[in-house]
Amino acid sequence: MAGKLSLAYFLSGGCGGCDMAIVDLSETLVDVLPQLEVVFWAPTVADVKYKDLEAMPDKSIDVGLYSGMVRLGEQEHIAKVMRQKCKVLVAYGACAALGGIPGMGNMHTKEEIFRTAYFDTYSTDNPEGITPQTRCVVDGKYELTLPEFYGHVRTLQDVVPVDYFVGGCPPHHSFVGQAILAILQGKLPPPGSWITSGKAVCDVCDRNPAARGEERQPIKEIKRTIDGVPGEGKCLLQQGYLCLGPVTQGDCGALCPKVNIPCRGCGGPIPGVKDFGLRAVSAIAGLLADEALVDQIPSPVKLFYRYSLPASLLGQKVK
Ligand code: SF4
Ligand code: SF4
Ligand code: SF4
């Protein structure tokens, strides 16, 4: 593209791992940086304030990467400002795209979360029972405010229209490099798409039975990773370890199965799937040799919706 591509980045309700994935681009970053003009990167990298972003003309930024989910009023506000200022807005990483690990908070009410955080944990010393308030006055004259903590976690798309989605917790750095190059070269899929190779983790996994001309066999027992070391080179799912590789985008290159860990689905759903957890349930259930094995699946909601509960048809646990 002619000229530099202006970029804004915001870390919302996430851990910063998605930022690290960009730093992990290492030498690729050296090639890409001269083509980028980073106009906003908060709160981790650049010395900028929200008012700097708010003052920029509408649609003056080429691409905005929003990482993290939306739980606070402040996060919702910046999502709306990013949408206003950016021509293209990307939900970058599992939290922004699907709700991510923090989305597991939707298993509990806000009151339960506050009780655990401010009363029940052993490290908490709170004899006066103080909980965060959105507004308080100190010494009768200093007004302090905190953003509102909403009742549940939302994805970026729940708050503003999103142009593209990138999966991964965090996205794999080599794929981030390809995604940035695709943006720079204008080689993007239709708006509303995931930026992905379209392959499932199984498609890129060395353990895939199909790669050896073998057929998948029914699963006869359910195992957890603490139940021993999986057989070398054999499909984890076939051995009873509940691997979600069949339904997960494989842009990570099957990182987890490579080191004996079943895929947990951080890459997001393979193309065409609306509810990741439902598809995962369907894929695993179809392989079980005996219906009674269902009772042995540990923490099914956490297994199947670990990264995607807010984006699911359920959205949150109904109480
Ligand atoms: S997607 Fe994962 S790495 Fe990225 S912010 Fe969320 S928890 Fe952190
Ligand atoms: S189910 Fe898991 S271990 Fe088996 S081929 Fe797919 S990704 Fe690899
Ligand atoms: S194998 Fe699955 S859980 Fe592991 S990095 Fe890849 S997509 Fe994420």
Side-chain angles (χ1 to χ4, degrees):
M1 69 177 288
K4 290 189 175 190
L5 182 124
S6 55
L7 178 83
Y9 186 104
F10 180 61
L11 166 60
S12 180
C15 71
C18 284
D19 298 51
M20 290 302 297
I22 294 182
V23 177
D24 279 350
L25 284 168
S26 51
E27 63 268 25
T28 312
L29 197 56
V30 175
D31 295 336
V32 160
L33 267 183
Q35 300 175 65
L36 295 177
E37 183 188 2
V38 179
V39 295
F40 180 83
W41 192 321
T44 44
V45 172
D47 182 15
V48 286
K49 302 283 182 261
Y50 292 164
K51 63 180 167 54
D52 299 330
L53 181 67
E54 288 158 355
M56 293 178 195
D58 289 356
K59 303 295 176 212
S60 61
I61 304 168
D62 292 318
V63 178
L65 299 182
Y66 189 103
S67 89
M69 52 76 197
V70 180
R71 175 116 219 189
L72 302 176
E74 174 187 356
Q75 294 158 352
E76 180 177 20
H77 170 67
I78 296 301
K80 288 177 176 168
V81 177
M82 289 271 284
R83 178 66 282 181
Q84 206 176 340
K85 307 299 174 186
C86 300
K87 291 176 194 151
V88 171
L89 183 62
V90 180
Y92 172 66
C95 287
L98 300 166
I101 294 278
M104 286 275 88
N106 284 4
M107 298 277 290
H108 305 277
T109 63
K110 171 179 167 178
E111 290 71 31
E112 287 169 347
I113 291 170
F114 271 31
R115 171 145 291 282
T116 299
Y118 297 104
F119 296 96
D120 292 347
T121 46
Y122 290 115
S123 57
T124 304
D125 181 17
N126 186 10
E128 293 170 38
I130 296 170
T131 55
Q133 305 299 315
T134 51
R135 179 180 172 278
C136 76
V137 177
V138 180
D139 294 340
K141 51 184 172 180
Y142 304 111
E143 182 178 326
L144 303 178
T145 58
L146 279 177
E148 184 181 350
F149 185 93
Y150 294 139
H152 58 278
V153 170
R154 286 179 293 168
T155 69
L156 181 61
Q157 192 179 26
D158 288 334
V159 176
V160 292
V162 171
D163 298 304
Y164 296 104
F165 302 84
V166 174
C169 178
H172 190 269
H173 59 85
S174 68
F175 191 73
V176 172
Q178 290 172 40
I180 291 179
L181 283 175
I183 293 170
L184 281 169
Q185 294 162 356
K187 293 181 180 166
L188 284 166
S193 308
W194 288 75
I195 301 177
T196 172
S197 67
K199 291 180 177 162
V201 177
C202 286
D203 294 336
V204 295
C205 178
D206 294 340
R207 295 172 181 263
N208 193 333
R212 286 182 237 127
E214 297 166 11
E215 290 202 358
R216 283 199 182 275
Q217 302 299 318
I219 303 169
K220 297 196 177 76
E221 58 180 333
I222 304 288
K223 289 187 193 159
R224 296 185 301 169
T225 43
I226 55 168
D227 292 335
V229 180
E232 192 84 12
K234 284 176 63 185
C235 172
L236 298 171
L237 196 48
Q238 297 282 264
Q239 298 177 62
Y241 299 96
L242 296 179
C243 180
L244 305 185
V247 294
T248 305
Q249 290 173 33
D251 303 313
C252 64
L255 272 186
C256 298
K258 273 194 174 84
V259 292
N260 278 348
I261 297 174
C263 171
R264 292 307 190 210
C266 86
I270 49 174
V273 172
K274 183 164 172 54
D275 189 312
F276 177 86
L278 273 184
R279 177 58 78 88
V281 168
S282 156
I284 299 290
L287 288 170
L288 296 181
D290 185 339
E291 205 178 305
L293 288 171
V294 169
D295 295 335
Q296 294 177 25
I297 297 177
S299 309
V301 176
K302 289 178 186 160
L303 174 69
F304 295 117
Y305 285 104
R306 184 179 306 248
Y307 296 98
S308 64
L309 186 58
S312 71
L313 297 175
L314 289 172
Q316 63 192 102
K317 185 178 171 186
V318 180
K319 290 237 170 199

